[in-house]
Amino acid sequence: MAGPRGAVTGCKRRVGRSEEQPRGGKRNRAGTGQEKKSSHLSAALLGEDCEISLEQLSELLQYAALGRRHNAAQPSWCHIYHQSHLAGVVVIVLHELSQLHFYKFYLQFKHLRRVFRHRFTLPPPPSDFLASLCGEGAGPNPPGSAQGLISAGVECIPKSSGLDCDPIIRKYGKERRGLTSYTLTSEELKKNDYPMRDSPEYKGYMYTECDLQRTDSSPLFGLDCEMCLTARGNEVTRVSLVDAEGKCLLNELVKPESVIVNYRTRYSGITRKMLLPVKTRLPDIQTRLKKILPHDAVLVGHSLNADLQALQMIHPSVIDTSLLFARSEGRRFKLKFLAKAVLGKEIQCEQRLGHDPAEDARAALELAQFFIKKGPTKVAELNLEMLLAAERQTEISPNKSVKQPQQCGVQKQLNDPPHSSKPCILARLQGMGQKPLLLGRQELGSSGLCQSDLSTSNKQILQRALEDVPLSTFSIIQFGLNPEYFASHHLAGFCNKVRNKLTDMLTIYAGPFEESFCPKSVKKEFGKCGPIQSLTVVTETYQPYVCIQYDVLEAAQLALESLNGAEVAGSCIKVQRPITAATLDCDVLIKELEQDIENEGVIYVAGIKKSLTETDLQEEFSPLKDLETLFLPKDLQSGKHSTCCYLKFRNSHSAAEAMEAISGWAVRGSALRSRHALASGHLWRWIWKMNHSSEKQRGNNLSEKMAPRSDSEQDVRKEVKKLDHYIKKLYRSLQDNTLCVVLFPGTNSIHGSQSGLGLMGIKDDGESSAG
């Protein structure tokens, strides 16, 4: 089952059925008058199930962004319900940080641990982490791959003697045709998310009633809209319509029904002052457009599906210039580039505030007229791929000469058959007319090349993200900390500090006992709280004590809570943790772990006999109300299961009732003890590995010296806290139904490697004020 914030279903990863439809570029169903459905996320991420490969993560991102209708498969390790209702996908990458850093600064990452329910471990990262994340496979980089987008350049290759392999020629042939040959078919309209009369999801959209048969002399009209972000999503705020002569027939500001939360002035050109006197509403514009358009009108626009969705109108005959000027691998040229390369016109100038929809509508119209008049062969001879590569190269190296079209080309797919490999998610989204966003110290600029700017601060990245993320359906935002804070030679010191603190938290001292006490009976009694890694007798004291190190945090805490002051082996004993600088805030840390959203509705149960199987336990615990998942930990070396387990319930109330019910239970003659879970998910596995690591150097002075000084560490805590605040601010700005994934990629260097960490969730109304 999936609740409003996603639910963990079943004892294993569940694969179910979901509603799948693609999302349009600027589409927003919230403004259609239909009932808004929420997307939910379900993932069984307990214990061994919490280690996810980059390939599996990429599988999730592909499906979330594209859906099955665009050949993206539902991931096998988690389930997205109502994928088609996702408002977008936002991936936040915390550069050079690992799972180790998350737990080293656990208390500072207040927002992350309180909001993201689903977490998973990632393997140490490859050198091309972003490319792997975007779904680039092994082997040579295919055209349109992430690495190709990052490292594209101009490459001299021999020109083919013919144009037969050009995508435009393959699609339309060489002969000139009339305009009806270039209008989208019903199948193309459906595939590219155009509003259609026979689709129930566009119920309530206005039909233009332009039903006359189109001919090659039917009139063309250019259309473009600008949108602002409102409380309901994207709503149209300006509409422009031009006729075949370029005369502007309509250029109206529109006041949205909902409150505007982001004017997007940088792109829309709309300001608050402009809309103050406006009385025109969307129904007024719909009526005027319907009245202006003749019954055989053909609308022309660039990714016109987004404009018609914003207008909530259906028109049966369109020419989409983003599809007309075809590219291989389904990618699309930008309108700005086509206007310059084909028409020799500069549009969307950066010096001007926002886009001019009349200018964009006129440019799209003239591009269609050029294509119809000149024919596919003349358009193909422009060698647009080469011109685009030359433009990109000029942007990167203005003083570097670039050879002319007759001498070199940019990518082999222009003259060679298409590459058999599928393009990465960035290229696929661009091919659908959507604009993926990559922001950070390394970003894909307008040139498509990876640009590095170490002077860019997290605050500047956040400001850009708050403005640009709403304009994109798929965004990757990279934050990072000062590289000096986490220099690779500090890694061993950080690791040792975290390991020492963890060891202290897993350790308890108990006593005093009589001189003749039996250690075996003490171990048996303390073993009822959970699996013991080691027990040693402390003889330096006046009376004997024991030092017990557990395998799990819950066991040590349960021993403190249930055996302190109890009579064990004939002695009334005191149970306590070692007093060190690392354990002074232990109580605070335990409390925060209990309140961690990952542990919500999860309880820890100790006293399980090793002879019992998971099936036996499922049968024993089946009477418990709302039980969803049972996880029986196993020793990662021997494979034998532990003497404890974790139970996940549908809600915290059911978990509390189960704890009360379990008190006093006996399963096959063994009394059970329980408490709230502290490390039920990926943390359990990470603790086990840290606790059993052969690299453990408890009290190693050299490692302590290698770690940053305490004053430096204090600075890091402040920066981490600030970083958490930036993520919180960005998360709160996201539209509801946005899938958000936060990644600590991990580290991989000659000084050692650390696993990464992923946190994910789908934002809903209830989370807007979380954290």
Side-chain angles (χ1 to χ4, degrees):
M1 297 186 183
R5 301 171 70 178
V8 181
T9 54
C11 294
K12 296 182 179 179
R13 301 168 185 148
R14 176 177 175 179
V15 178
R17 186 179 174 212
S18 76
E19 212 175 299
E20 294 158 13
Q21 296 165 9
R23 278 178 293 113
K26 301 178 187 175
R27 183 177 191 166
N28 174 52
R29 291 184 176 81
T32 64
Q34 301 177 56
E35 180 182 355
K36 183 179 177 181
K37 290 187 179 180
S38 296
S39 300
H40 309 319
L41 181 66
S42 173
L45 297 172
L46 290 179
E48 290 93 340
D49 285 345
C50 65
E51 191 158 346
I52 304 301
S53 68
L54 266 182
E55 184 179 358
Q56 288 174 305
L57 178 56
S58 176
E59 180 186 32
L60 168 69
L61 297 179
Q62 295 256 5
Y63 179 76
L66 301 170
R68 189 172 292 172
R69 264 187 64 185
H70 291 278
N71 299 320
Q74 176 80 259
S76 58
W77 59 280
C78 70
H79 188 95
I80 298 178
Y81 295 85
H82 305 305
Q83 174 274 337
S84 64
H85 295 275
L86 282 176
V89 179
V90 175
V91 182
I92 300 172
V93 180
L94 305 183
H95 190 59
E96 292 292 334
L97 298 188
S98 67
Q99 192 166 203
L100 172 73
H101 298 108
F102 178 75
Y103 284 107
K104 170 67 178 172
F105 302 104
Y106 179 82
L107 293 177
Q108 283 72 37
F109 282 118
K110 184 177 179 181
H111 173 73
L112 292 186
R113 55 187 167 84
R114 291 191 178 181
V115 170
F116 294 96
R117 176 186 303 272
H118 302 294
R119 300 177 196 171
F120 49 88
T121 300
L122 291 168
S127 57
D128 55 348
F129 177 80
L130 279 182
S132 300
L133 180 66
C134 292
E136 180 179 330
N141 298 323
S145 67
Q147 196 63 36
L149 286 169
I150 292 173
S151 60
V154 176
E155 170 190 3
C156 289
I157 57 173
K159 187 178 179 182
S160 171
S161 57
L163 296 172
D164 293 342
C165 293
D166 188 284
I168 292 174
I169 301 300
R170 289 202 304 267
K171 184 174 182 179
Y172 301 111
K174 295 182 179 181
E175 301 300 321
R176 281 196 308 165
R177 304 179 184 182
L179 69 85
T180 53
S181 298
Y182 304 117
T183 56
L184 297 182
T185 64
S186 296
E187 292 75 17
E188 289 173 321
L189 289 170
K190 187 174 182 180
K191 179 181 178 182
N192 291 284
D193 302 324
Y194 274 84
M196 300 183 70
R197 295 182 73 183
D198 58 354
S199 179
E201 66 183 298
Y202 300 113
K203 185 179 180 181
Y205 277 36
M206 178 178 283
Y207 185 56
T208 59
E209 298 182 6
C210 297
D211 291 322
L212 281 185
Q213 181 71 33
R214 270 48 174 194
T215 67
D216 289 341
S217 58
S218 291
L220 297 176
F221 294 85
L223 177 68
D224 189 68
C225 300
E226 296 299 334
M227 277 73 100
C228 291
L229 180 64
T230 73
R232 299 173 68 184
N234 291 316
E235 291 194 58
V236 65
T237 49
R238 192 171 185 178
V239 182
S240 292
L241 183 75
V242 299
D243 65 14
E245 282 70 47
K247 180 183 177 182
C248 192
L249 305 178
L250 182 68
N251 191 14
E252 284 281 334
L253 292 171
V254 185
K255 181 161 285 189
E257 296 294 333
S258 303
V259 177
I260 295 178
V261 296
N262 189 341
Y263 283 87
R264 298 171 174 169
T265 306
R266 177 181 170 193
Y267 298 98
S268 69
I270 305 297
T271 64
R272 180 177 179 273
K273 185 177 180 180
M274 290 170 63
L275 290 181
L276 280 177
V278 175
K279 304 295 182 184
T280 306
R281 298 285 186 173
L282 181 60
D284 303 322
I285 290 296
Q286 291 175 330
T287 302
R288 290 185 61 181
L289 280 171
K290 186 175 178 180
K291 187 176 180 179
I292 292 173
L293 294 174
H295 291 298
D296 63 341
V298 177
L299 286 179
V300 180
H302 200 78
S303 296
L304 193 57
N305 59 311
D307 302 287
L308 290 173
Q309 288 162 6
L311 289 166
Q312 297 179 29
M313 297 187 74
I314 300 172
H315 187 78
S317 185
V318 300
I319 294 176
D320 188 334
T321 51
S322 72
L323 300 170
L324 184 65
F325 290 82
R327 299 183 72 187
S328 60
E329 305 285 357
R331 294 167 298 140
R332 305 189 192 190
F333 292 110
K334 293 179 181 178
L335 180 62
K336 181 178 181 178
F337 165 75
L338 288 175
K340 183 178 180 181
V342 179
L343 306 175
K345 290 187 175 183
E346 292 281 355
I347 65 170
Q348 301 175 359
C349 299
E350 294 182 3
Q351 294 81 4
R352 188 170 55 210
L353 187 63
H355 297 176
D356 180 350
E359 180 184 64
D360 289 355
R362 195 174 288 112
L365 177 72
E366 291 179 8
L367 284 167
Q369 291 170 328
F370 179 93
F371 198 106
I372 295 166
K373 181 179 179 180
K374 298 295 184 181
T377 299
K378 289 293 183 183
V379 174
E381 287 175 351
L382 293 175
N383 209 340
L384 293 174
E385 291 288 357
M386 191 287 308
L387 293 176
L388 178 62
E391 181 181 277
R392 289 175 173 175
Q393 187 69 13
T394 303
E395 289 178 4
I396 298 301
S397 305
N399 299 322
K400 189 174 180 179
S401 61
V402 181
K403 294 187 179 182
Q404 297 303 311
Q406 292 80 0
Q407 296 170 308
C408 74
V410 58
Q411 293 171 325
K412 291 186 178 182
Q413 75 263 28
L414 187 62
N415 296 316
D416 292 346
H419 199 283
S420 59
S421 299
K422 290 184 178 180
C424 74
I425 188 171
L426 301 182
R428 295 182 70 181
L429 286 168
Q430 288 177 328
M432 293 164 57
Q434 299 181 31
K435 184 181 179 182
L437 173 69
L438 182 56
L439 286 180
R441 292 187 175 181
Q442 284 193 321
E443 61 176 277
L444 291 177
S446 59
S447 63
L449 300 180
C450 188
Q451 301 170 347
S452 180
D453 183 5
L454 296 179
S455 65
T456 304
S457 68
N458 287 332
K459 186 174 182 180
Q460 291 171 316
I461 294 168
L462 172 66
Q463 289 171 340
R464 282 285 306 277
L466 291 174
E467 187 174 345
D468 292 350
V469 166
L471 304 175
S472 175
T473 54
F474 185 89
S475 306
I476 298 178
I477 313 300
Q478 298 178 85
F479 291 112
L481 296 180
N482 190 326
E484 295 179 3
Y485 289 147
F486 298 125
S488 57
H489 62 275
H490 289 329
L491 185 62
F494 266 118
C495 189
N496 195 59
K497 278 192 171 186
V498 174
R499 183 183 291 114
N500 288 348
K501 181 164 187 167
L502 180 58
T503 301
D504 288 340
M505 291 180 67
L506 291 167
T507 302
I508 56 103
Y509 285 89
F513 294 98
E514 298 293 334
E515 291 288 344
S516 59
F517 86 104
C518 176
K520 284 188 177 181
S521 64
V522 172
K523 185 174 184 179
K524 182 178 180 181
E525 186 62 35
F526 277 85
K528 294 176 182 178
C529 295
I532 294 175
Q533 183 181 339
S534 65
L535 182 149
T536 56
V537 179
V538 179
T539 57
E540 289 86 350
T541 51
Y542 178 70
Q543 287 181 283
Y545 282 74
V546 292
C547 174
I548 298 174
Q549 185 176 334
Y550 284 99
D551 271 337
V552 294
L553 286 177
E554 292 88 352
Q557 192 64 22
L558 192 55
L560 282 168
E561 295 165 348
S562 61
L563 295 176
N564 186 33
E567 185 174 317
V568 178
S571 300
C572 184
I573 62 169
K574 179 180 180 180
V575 181
Q576 60 185 351
R577 279 196 174 92
I579 305 298
T580 65
T583 59
L584 290 177
D585 62 355
C586 187
D587 291 341
V588 176
L589 192 52
I590 292 295
K591 182 180 178 181
E592 292 296 334
L593 283 169
E594 285 180 350
Q595 296 176 354
D596 193 306
I597 192 171
E598 186 182 35
N599 295 318
E600 186 177 319
V602 185
I603 66 172
Y604 165 83
V605 181
I608 306 295
K609 283 191 173 182
K610 289 192 175 182
S611 58
L612 294 177
T613 64
E614 190 172 279
T615 304
D616 294 332
L617 292 175
Q618 287 173 350
E619 184 178 338
E620 292 288 344
F621 292 127
S622 60
L624 296 175
K625 180 184 175 183
D626 293 335
L627 177 62
E628 290 186 335
T629 307
L630 181 149
F631 165 52
L632 185 61
K634 293 180 180 179
D635 186 296
L636 299 180
Q637 289 178 339
S638 68
K640 295 180 180 179
H641 75 70
S642 185
T643 57
C644 64
C645 70
Y646 294 92
L647 304 179
K648 178 167 180 61
F649 295 84
R650 192 173 302 170
N651 52 60
S652 299
H653 180 70
S654 298
E657 287 183 342
M659 275 199 301
E660 190 174 338
I662 287 174
S663 298
W665 264 24
V667 176
R668 309 284 173 92
S670 178
L672 302 181
R673 297 181 183 183
S674 66
R675 75 169 322 277
H676 291 290
L678 300 173
S680 58
H682 75 284
L683 180 55
W684 172 86
R685 187 184 185 94
W686 186 72
I687 286 175
W688 193 97
K689 287 185 174 181
M690 290 287 283
N691 201 24
H692 291 75
S693 171
S694 60
E695 298 174 359
K696 187 185 297 184
Q697 300 177 22
R698 184 166 171 76
N700 187 311
N701 291 328
L702 177 60
S703 292
E704 293 292 339
K705 290 178 181 178
M706 291 171 69
R709 301 186 312 275
S710 59
D711 57 343
S712 174
E713 195 166 307
Q714 200 62 25
D715 292 337
V716 180
R717 287 195 183 96
K718 291 179 182 178
E719 289 301 312
V720 170
K721 192 173 181 180
K722 194 182 296 183
L723 178 59
D724 183 69
H725 176 73
Y726 289 157
I727 297 172
K728 174 183 176 180
K729 198 167 182 180
L730 175 57
Y731 183 82
R732 284 186 170 182
S733 74
L734 302 179
Q735 292 186 55
D736 293 336
N737 271 3
T738 296
L739 172 65
C740 186
V741 182
V742 180
L743 300 178
F744 292 70
T747 57
N748 209 345
S749 71
I750 58 173
H751 299 280
S753 62
Q754 286 293 326
S755 298
L757 171 68
L759 306 92
M760 64 180 179
I762 295 177
K763 186 189 174 188
D764 63 25
D765 294 308
E767 292 176 325
S768 297
S769 58

